[in-house]
Structures are given as structure tokens and as C-alpha cells.
Amino acid sequence: MAQSMLLLIIGEENPDPELIAAALKVVQEIATVSGLYQNIGYWSRTFPTTWRVLIWIKVIFLTIPWASRKIVRRVWKDLKQVRRTGNAEHMDPDCLLRFLIEDSRRIPGIMESISYILITFG
């Protein structure tokens, strides 16, 4: 699943193992937030509302930004290369990033790219 998400975002058939690990971490945290692991721990069973609030804070402000930094760094590197050369031919034609560049006829900024990537993970 992580490889297919990375294939969709950056278009690389065999991505770096660090990118796969980062994608897996983000997916696991999203599963935690959605409640898939809610009944496992004592804290989550005893104090479910407090657990949800703390997990949301942890995931949104710590885990997702920290784990996705490698993916975002790779996306930013590709965007910088497109800005320098003016062409996106080095990118896979089926990846999300190339679609964003060709669809809007402009190179998206870093925040716009990050938001699209996070929407893809979610």
C-alpha cells in the first residue's frame, strides 16, 4: 500500500526504503486516528475522549510532519528541478506531481504540494 501511494505521488517504481518506511508510518498514524487501534490499550479503553484528543495532537503536530518530511523533501527536489529546467519530462507521466504541474500550467508552491500529498494519504 505504501509503495502504491508513493507510485501515485512521485511515480517511482522502486522507491527508496526510507520513503516506504515514512509512508508506512503516516498510514499507521492515520489508522490510529481513525480508531482502528482504539480498543487495544488500557488508556484508550478507559479514557476514550482524552485518548482521541491526545492522539490527534500527536499525529497532526508531531508524527505526520516528522514522518512525511522525507517524502516532501523528494517532492520539493522534483519541483526545484522543474523550476530550473522548465520541463517535467524527467517525471513519470502518471504521477500526481506531474499532473499538478501540467493541469495548472504552473509549478505549485510547497504548501500547495504538501496539502495535495496529505490529501492523497488521507
Side-chain angles (χ1 to χ4, degrees):
M1 185 171 155
Q3 285 181 335
S4 63
M5 286 190 316
L6 289 173
L7 180 64
L8 180 68
I9 294 170
I10 60 176
E12 191 175 293
E13 283 291 330
N14 296 313
D16 186 24
E18 288 183 356
L19 290 176
I20 294 173
L24 281 173
K25 184 69 174 168
V26 171
V27 168
Q28 288 171 347
E29 291 299 327
I30 290 173
T32 301
V33 167
S34 66
L36 291 177
Y37 303 125
Q38 185 172 0
N39 295 327
I40 292 176
Y42 170 77
W43 183 261
S44 61
R45 283 184 279 123
T46 309
F47 307 106
T49 305
T50 308
W51 181 81
R52 281 188 206 108
V53 170
L54 292 176
I55 286 297
W56 268 101
I57 290 170
K58 175 187 166 229
V59 168
I60 298 300
F61 293 112
L62 297 174
T63 307
I64 290 179
W66 184 256
S68 62
R69 75 188 188 288
K70 294 176 184 173
I71 299 168
V72 170
R73 192 177 315 140
R74 172 63 191 270
V75 168
W76 188 244
K77 184 177 103 177
D78 285 344
L79 286 176
K80 281 179 23 181
Q81 185 174 356
V82 170
R83 278 202 175 121
R84 258 187 312 215
T85 63
N87 110 30
E89 295 300 320
H90 69 282
M91 300 170 74
D92 186 9
D94 295 327
C95 75
L96 177 68
L97 197 56
R98 184 161 177 181
F99 172 75
L100 289 174
I101 293 169
E102 291 178 353
D103 183 50
S104 63
R105 300 288 181 235
R106 65 182 178 79
I107 300 168
I110 185 68
M111 292 309 291
E112 185 178 359
S113 301
I114 291 171
S115 67
Y116 280 120
I117 289 170
L118 292 178
I119 289 170
T120 302
F121 278 126

